[in-house]
Amino acid sequence: MTINVNRRTVLGAFGALTISVVLPGHKARAAVLGAATQPPLKPENLSSYIQVNADGTVVAFWGKMDMGQGTDLGVAQMVAEELDLPIFKVFVQQGNTATSINQGGASGSTGIQQGGTALQSAAAEARYQLVDMASKQLGVPIPDLKVDDGVISSLADPAKSVTYAELIGGRFFDTQLEWNQKIGNSLFVKGRGTIKPVADHKVIGSSPMRRDVPWKVMGSGDYVVDIKVPGMLHARVIRPEVAGAVPVEVDATSVKDIPDVQIVREKGFLAIVAPREWDAIRAADQLKVTWSDSTPNFPTQAGIFDHLRNAKSVHREPGEDVGDVDAAFAGAAKVVEATYDWPFQSHASMGPACAVVEINGDRATLWTGSQKPHFSAAGVAAILDMPSENVHGIWVPGPGSYGRNDAGDAAADAALIAKLTGKPIRVQGMRKDGTRWDPKGPASIHTARAALDKDNNVLAWHFESKGFSRVDVNSNESATRDTLAGQLIDTPLKPGVGFGVPEESYGFPAKRKAWETVAPLLDRASPLRTTHLRDPVGPQIHFASESFMDEVAYAIGVDPLEFRLKYITDPRDIAVVKAATEKAGWQARTAARRQSAGDGKFKGQGMSYAQRSGTRVAVVCEVEIESKTGRIWARKFTVAHDCGMIVNPRQLTHTIEGNIVQAISRSVHEEVQFDDKNVTSVDWETYPILDITETPETIDVVLIDHKELPPSGAGEPSMRPVAAAIANAIFDATGVRIRQAPFTPDKLKAAGLA
Amino acid sequence: MFTDSREEDVATKEIQLNVDGNNHVITADPEMPLLYALRDDLGLRNPRFGCGLAQCGACTVHIDGQAVRSCVTPVDSVGVGKVVTLAGLGGGNGKAHKIQTAFIEEQVPQCGYCLNGWLMTAAAFLEANPNPNDGEIRDALSGLKCRCGTHYSIMRAVKRAARA
Ligand code: FES
Ligand code: FES
């Protein structure tokens, strides 16, 4: 097979976007429909979401982003479905502030759940409008028309027909939608058109090929790192070896041997620019800087969890009790209690972030890999003192994104350097900028207690989390206080507070789920500032809550699956738990089995389950542990996943597989190291992630399709139950209960592995 | 107060490169990694910076058929070696190598930023070992990074390419 592809041909259909002349269809129009020029990009305008090109293809403008899970393809499928078009005729344009309303960017696994359903609703209205136009043009009442592949024809006389292209191709819908007045994730629009009954679905539920895969595999398209602008200079931001230090003296003579280098400095911010990238890198390395003294208030690495236990809470969210929790504990025959710890983790995206900013008078353009380009453009505007509508944000695929990573900081860096130099600026970090200096997933401690009666029934469950905030810096970079550059030019900080609670349906008679957060470490430009990292706080919370369910089960001599099935109340939760355990061949037990896998290895099986914003996931994990070294191999994963209606089964499966691998990595390897001066995880040696030699040999995915339910998210839910399933399997294999992640050989030994 | 500094001398020279079948002459610091010659002097966009430390593979190219990490390969050390990038792996003109075909058919990448490492390393490996078992594939690809966690798809695709 020979595949000849480049990105231009795939995007070719977008060429029509710029055509404003009306191309005649092969039949004359009865009336000129739609608008000749595009109505303004406003949330209530149908044209802001759906456009029919002159050739009859359709572009859907999406204000969310695909980070490589094929979410944009899923959205294209939803739009194609409502417009009765084959998938190859529908394209999604994403991540451009000039062509998309801000639907929140990639956020909270809502790409399909909220962003897709909004576009689906807009597409249903577009179809309604098109059929209405056809009815008038053909003189056939609406109920007597059918739509097929973009052709609207009379049921009675198929020769009476008109195509979408003939009706409005190359022109613009000029009607309005009912808009719920929200911008971001929860934006929704609705017209008179209603979405199709599920029974009629042809495109939803199929697995067409992604459009971005060929150019990525062939090396023929642009990532954000490939963007070049005439006159552009390469920049590197220079950050201190001791966190919190700011430059006091900069010795320009130390880089005078490198051509055309310029030093850029404003308050605590220091960068170097050069026309050639290699020169900027060398100069950054060579520049002699005297830094201020700084003594960051970091606890020791080993003392981080004690720090959390002892730190004053800055905010507490007590949650709403179910039943009388205190009375249940007061009257309990037995109390089971355990605490769990989760470290800081890094996004450690595949490459350090990059951004390009070009200023033109009172306007600017940003090219970014940030998953929230609308917010990123607003952040650039704030640095440049421009109204946000003056900054055109363009997303270009970046080196991976799993939340608020260093991409947000790179955009602000590029903006500040462009402002200070007056030149178009491309900034990219070095490896340590992506690992040491990215905003971190918060470290946390969790306490779980269960009150039992004399017959071992659970009377109450009490779950507490205490951690760094998930929004010490916000989950988007629209405010200068939330970026390193902004903080270094003295923007007053305002750390947010946020954490979370387990999502489950255990029907214990009494429940309390609460959380509290502590103050950030180092009040500005901290390498340990915390924010959203894929499934924000989900992995840590469910590591604790679902490890604890096993602990309670074993404490009362009940099989962990039987225990869960006794208490879980939600039928869809029960269904995923049963599906995963049946597929995996669950082996009931009431104590750790310590089975030999030969060669001095033990093997075990563990499970866990969680909900996330409507989605349910249950996982079963089989591990092997070398008893001598404590090395773990999560050999097999079985995942049962219910996210309502499935749009694209293959992409859903791949998304789940990717979550499982990344979650295993975070469970067994990942912990940001630091000392009293700075984060010392600076590269892949000091921040290891899962190697292909450690990847499961089997990941079995069971998809449960609820066509009658709206789709919920899939980008993150399967991340959250993984750590507990591994910990529970480790217990089955060894009898050792690991309550601190990551499950490294050292921690396993500390937990008692002999 | 503390001070960071490092002294270096900079001199540039003319260096010849053969990349994806084309000859080029560039003027550069001989110590400059090949990656920057490819990206900046030749304007190629596919080898990418991931770590600059030979730890991830994002910058991988072939030199005379061997997978090499261009981020730590001084440009002057390439000599008459024939450099092939991902874009030239299938012979140029947008033709796909069988490993690329397999990665497309298996729909492997998420962000795809890591792909040079996996594709270039797997292509060279399959040349040397056309019928590998799972363990051999894993060992050959060990050390490459994929932060999105597409490893399981990668295994499927390499096996598919081996069968092709
Ligand atoms: S960029 Fe060369 S190995 Fe990472
Ligand atoms: S696909 Fe994103 S790093 Fe591999």
Side-chain angles (χ1 to χ4, degrees), chain A residues 679-695:
Chain A
V679 166
T680 55
S681 290
V682 292
D683 59 15
W684 298 115
E685 298 287 322
T686 48
Y687 193 78
I689 62 171
L690 201 76
D691 190 66
I692 194 158
T693 52
E694 307 169 300
T695 303

PDB file of all heavy atoms in Angstrom, chain A residues 679-695:
ATOM      1  N   VAL A 679      13.244  22.149  42.486  1.00  0.00           N
ATOM      2  CA  VAL A 679      12.857  20.831  41.979  1.00  0.00           C
ATOM      3  C   VAL A 679      14.082  20.214  41.323  1.00  0.00           C
ATOM      4  O   VAL A 679      14.775  20.883  40.543  1.00  0.00           O
ATOM      5  CB  VAL A 679      11.686  20.972  40.981  1.00  0.00           C
ATOM      6  CG1 VAL A 679      11.485  19.688  40.184  1.00  0.00           C
ATOM      7  CG2 VAL A 679      10.408  21.334  41.737  1.00  0.00           C
ATOM      8  N   THR A 680      14.361  18.976  41.650  1.00  0.00           N
ATOM      9  CA  THR A 680      15.538  18.309  41.083  1.00  0.00           C
ATOM     10  C   THR A 680      15.154  17.282  40.013  1.00  0.00           C
ATOM     11  O   THR A 680      16.017  16.634  39.450  1.00  0.00           O
ATOM     12  CB  THR A 680      16.373  17.642  42.191  1.00  0.00           C
ATOM     13  OG1 THR A 680      15.509  16.763  42.928  1.00  0.00           O
ATOM     14  CG2 THR A 680      16.972  18.671  43.131  1.00  0.00           C
ATOM     15  N   SER A 681      13.869  17.144  39.758  1.00  0.00           N
ATOM     16  CA  SER A 681      13.430  16.366  38.594  1.00  0.00           C
ATOM     17  C   SER A 681      13.522  17.290  37.398  1.00  0.00           C
ATOM     18  O   SER A 681      12.736  18.240  37.282  1.00  0.00           O
ATOM     19  CB  SER A 681      11.975  15.903  38.756  1.00  0.00           C
ATOM     20  OG  SER A 681      11.871  14.932  39.755  1.00  0.00           O
ATOM     21  N   VAL A 682      14.502  17.036  36.545  1.00  0.00           N
ATOM     22  CA  VAL A 682      14.766  17.983  35.459  1.00  0.00           C
ATOM     23  C   VAL A 682      14.744  17.332  34.081  1.00  0.00           C
ATOM     24  O   VAL A 682      14.819  18.020  33.060  1.00  0.00           O
ATOM     25  CB  VAL A 682      16.134  18.685  35.653  1.00  0.00           C
ATOM     26  CG1 VAL A 682      16.083  19.614  36.864  1.00  0.00           C
ATOM     27  CG2 VAL A 682      17.263  17.673  35.811  1.00  0.00           C
ATOM     28  N   ASP A 683      14.674  16.008  34.044  1.00  0.00           N
ATOM     29  CA  ASP A 683      14.719  15.320  32.744  1.00  0.00           C
ATOM     30  C   ASP A 683      14.087  13.939  32.913  1.00  0.00           C
ATOM     31  O   ASP A 683      13.463  13.657  33.938  1.00  0.00           O
ATOM     32  CB  ASP A 683      16.166  15.239  32.228  1.00  0.00           C
ATOM     33  CG  ASP A 683      17.092  14.505  33.194  1.00  0.00           C
ATOM     34  OD1 ASP A 683      16.596  13.814  34.110  1.00  0.00           O
ATOM     35  OD2 ASP A 683      18.323  14.621  33.034  1.00  0.00           O
ATOM     36  N   TRP A 684      14.272  13.067  31.925  1.00  0.00           N
ATOM     37  CA  TRP A 684      13.626  11.750  31.982  1.00  0.00           C
ATOM     38  C   TRP A 684      14.370  10.777  32.885  1.00  0.00           C
ATOM     39  O   TRP A 684      13.822   9.729  33.237  1.00  0.00           O
ATOM     40  CB  TRP A 684      13.479  11.154  30.574  1.00  0.00           C
ATOM     41  CG  TRP A 684      12.606  11.966  29.668  1.00  0.00           C
ATOM     42  CD1 TRP A 684      12.991  12.618  28.538  1.00  0.00           C
ATOM     43  CD2 TRP A 684      11.197  12.217  29.812  1.00  0.00           C
ATOM     44  NE1 TRP A 684      11.904  13.264  27.971  1.00  0.00           N
ATOM     45  CE2 TRP A 684      10.796  13.033  28.736  1.00  0.00           C
ATOM     46  CE3 TRP A 684      10.233  11.831  30.759  1.00  0.00           C
ATOM     47  CZ2 TRP A 684       9.483  13.470  28.566  1.00  0.00           C
ATOM     48  CZ3 TRP A 684       8.934  12.263  30.580  1.00  0.00           C
ATOM     49  CH2 TRP A 684       8.570  13.076  29.499  1.00  0.00           C
ATOM     50  N   GLU A 685      15.620  11.096  33.249  1.00  0.00           N
ATOM     51  CA  GLU A 685      16.339  10.254  34.212  1.00  0.00           C
ATOM     52  C   GLU A 685      15.846  10.544  35.620  1.00  0.00           C
ATOM     53  O   GLU A 685      15.713   9.655  36.447  1.00  0.00           O
ATOM     54  CB  GLU A 685      17.854  10.537  34.157  1.00  0.00           C
ATOM     55  CG  GLU A 685      18.512  10.227  32.835  1.00  0.00           C
ATOM     56  CD  GLU A 685      18.645   8.731  32.610  1.00  0.00           C
ATOM     57  OE1 GLU A 685      18.920   8.007  33.579  1.00  0.00           O
ATOM     58  OE2 GLU A 685      18.438   8.301  31.456  1.00  0.00           O
ATOM     59  N   THR A 686      15.602  11.811  35.882  1.00  0.00           N
ATOM     60  CA  THR A 686      15.194  12.208  37.232  1.00  0.00           C
ATOM     61  C   THR A 686      13.675  12.282  37.368  1.00  0.00           C
ATOM     62  O   THR A 686      13.161  12.504  38.461  1.00  0.00           O
ATOM     63  CB  THR A 686      15.808  13.584  37.577  1.00  0.00           C
ATOM     64  OG1 THR A 686      15.564  14.480  36.489  1.00  0.00           O
ATOM     65  CG2 THR A 686      17.297  13.474  37.812  1.00  0.00           C
ATOM     66  N   TYR A 687      12.971  12.101  36.261  1.00  0.00           N
ATOM     67  CA  TYR A 687      11.517  11.981  36.312  1.00  0.00           C
ATOM     68  C   TYR A 687      11.119  10.875  35.341  1.00  0.00           C
ATOM     69  O   TYR A 687      10.582  11.126  34.247  1.00  0.00           O
ATOM     70  CB  TYR A 687      10.824  13.307  35.935  1.00  0.00           C
ATOM     71  CG  TYR A 687       9.349  13.280  36.292  1.00  0.00           C
ATOM     72  CD1 TYR A 687       8.945  13.475  37.615  1.00  0.00           C
ATOM     73  CD2 TYR A 687       8.378  13.015  35.343  1.00  0.00           C
ATOM     74  CE1 TYR A 687       7.598  13.420  37.959  1.00  0.00           C
ATOM     75  CE2 TYR A 687       7.031  12.957  35.681  1.00  0.00           C
ATOM     76  CZ  TYR A 687       6.652  13.163  36.993  1.00  0.00           C
ATOM     77  OH  TYR A 687       5.321  13.099  37.338  1.00  0.00           O
ATOM     78  N   PRO A 688      11.414   9.621  35.722  1.00  0.00           N
ATOM     79  CA  PRO A 688      11.139   8.534  34.781  1.00  0.00           C
ATOM     80  C   PRO A 688       9.656   8.303  34.573  1.00  0.00           C
ATOM     81  O   PRO A 688       8.845   8.536  35.474  1.00  0.00           O
ATOM     82  CB  PRO A 688      11.793   7.310  35.433  1.00  0.00           C
ATOM     83  CG  PRO A 688      12.079   7.669  36.841  1.00  0.00           C
ATOM     84  CD  PRO A 688      12.011   9.164  36.980  1.00  0.00           C
ATOM     85  N   ILE A 689       9.301   7.876  33.372  1.00  0.00           N
ATOM     86  CA  ILE A 689       7.928   7.460  33.071  1.00  0.00           C
ATOM     87  C   ILE A 689       7.973   6.022  32.551  1.00  0.00           C
ATOM     88  O   ILE A 689       9.048   5.461  32.351  1.00  0.00           O
ATOM     89  CB  ILE A 689       7.242   8.398  32.053  1.00  0.00           C
ATOM     90  CG1 ILE A 689       7.972   8.404  30.712  1.00  0.00           C
ATOM     91  CG2 ILE A 689       7.126   9.801  32.636  1.00  0.00           C
ATOM     92  CD1 ILE A 689       7.208   9.142  29.605  1.00  0.00           C
ATOM     93  N   LEU A 690       6.799   5.450  32.348  1.00  0.00           N
ATOM     94  CA  LEU A 690       6.712   4.041  31.976  1.00  0.00           C
ATOM     95  C   LEU A 690       7.432   3.778  30.657  1.00  0.00           C
ATOM     96  O   LEU A 690       7.243   4.496  29.681  1.00  0.00           O
ATOM     97  CB  LEU A 690       5.244   3.622  31.856  1.00  0.00           C
ATOM     98  CG  LEU A 690       5.009   2.111  31.977  1.00  0.00           C
ATOM     99  CD1 LEU A 690       5.114   1.666  33.428  1.00  0.00           C
ATOM    100  CD2 LEU A 690       3.650   1.722  31.398  1.00  0.00           C
ATOM    101  N   ASP A 691       8.233   2.723  30.652  1.00  0.00           N
ATOM    102  CA  ASP A 691       8.950   2.313  29.453  1.00  0.00           C
ATOM    103  C   ASP A 691       8.122   1.268  28.710  1.00  0.00           C
ATOM    104  O   ASP A 691       7.291   0.588  29.313  1.00  0.00           O
ATOM    105  CB  ASP A 691      10.308   1.721  29.850  1.00  0.00           C
ATOM    106  CG  ASP A 691      11.199   1.501  28.646  1.00  0.00           C
ATOM    107  OD1 ASP A 691      11.600   2.506  28.029  1.00  0.00           O
ATOM    108  OD2 ASP A 691      11.489   0.332  28.309  1.00  0.00           O
ATOM    109  N   ILE A 692       8.400   1.130  27.420  1.00  0.00           N
ATOM    110  CA  ILE A 692       7.615   0.147  26.660  1.00  0.00           C
ATOM    111  C   ILE A 692       7.860  -1.277  27.182  1.00  0.00           C
ATOM    112  O   ILE A 692       6.994  -2.140  27.074  1.00  0.00           O
ATOM    113  CB  ILE A 692       7.870   0.264  25.138  1.00  0.00           C
ATOM    114  CG1 ILE A 692       6.783  -0.513  24.374  1.00  0.00           C
ATOM    115  CG2 ILE A 692       9.283  -0.187  24.767  1.00  0.00           C
ATOM    116  CD1 ILE A 692       6.556  -0.111  22.963  1.00  0.00           C
ATOM    117  N   THR A 693       9.014  -1.512  27.776  1.00  0.00           N
ATOM    118  CA  THR A 693       9.277  -2.843  28.351  1.00  0.00           C
ATOM    119  C   THR A 693       8.416  -3.094  29.584  1.00  0.00           C
ATOM    120  O   THR A 693       8.336  -4.224  30.059  1.00  0.00           O
ATOM    121  CB  THR A 693      10.756  -2.992  28.748  1.00  0.00           C
ATOM    122  OG1 THR A 693      11.118  -1.878  29.570  1.00  0.00           O
ATOM    123  CG2 THR A 693      11.658  -3.019  27.534  1.00  0.00           C
ATOM    124  N   GLU A 694       7.786  -2.056  30.118  1.00  0.00           N
ATOM    125  CA  GLU A 694       6.931  -2.210  31.302  1.00  0.00           C
ATOM    126  C   GLU A 694       5.453  -2.061  30.957  1.00  0.00           C
ATOM    127  O   GLU A 694       4.607  -2.053  31.844  1.00  0.00           O
ATOM    128  CB  GLU A 694       7.263  -1.122  32.337  1.00  0.00           C
ATOM    129  CG  GLU A 694       8.719  -1.027  32.712  1.00  0.00           C
ATOM    130  CD  GLU A 694       8.974   0.236  33.523  1.00  0.00           C
ATOM    131  OE1 GLU A 694       8.714   1.342  33.008  1.00  0.00           O
ATOM    132  OE2 GLU A 694       9.421   0.111  34.672  1.00  0.00           O
ATOM    133  N   THR A 695       5.155  -1.876  29.697  1.00  0.00           N
ATOM    134  CA  THR A 695       3.764  -1.703  29.273  1.00  0.00           C
ATOM    135  C   THR A 695       3.026  -3.026  29.421  1.00  0.00           C
ATOM    136  O   THR A 695       3.618  -4.082  29.187  1.00  0.00           O
ATOM    137  CB  THR A 695       3.742  -1.248  27.794  1.00  0.00           C
ATOM    138  OG1 THR A 695       4.497  -0.053  27.695  1.00  0.00           O
ATOM    139  CG2 THR A 695       2.335  -0.986  27.316  1.00  0.00           C
TER     140      THR A 695
END
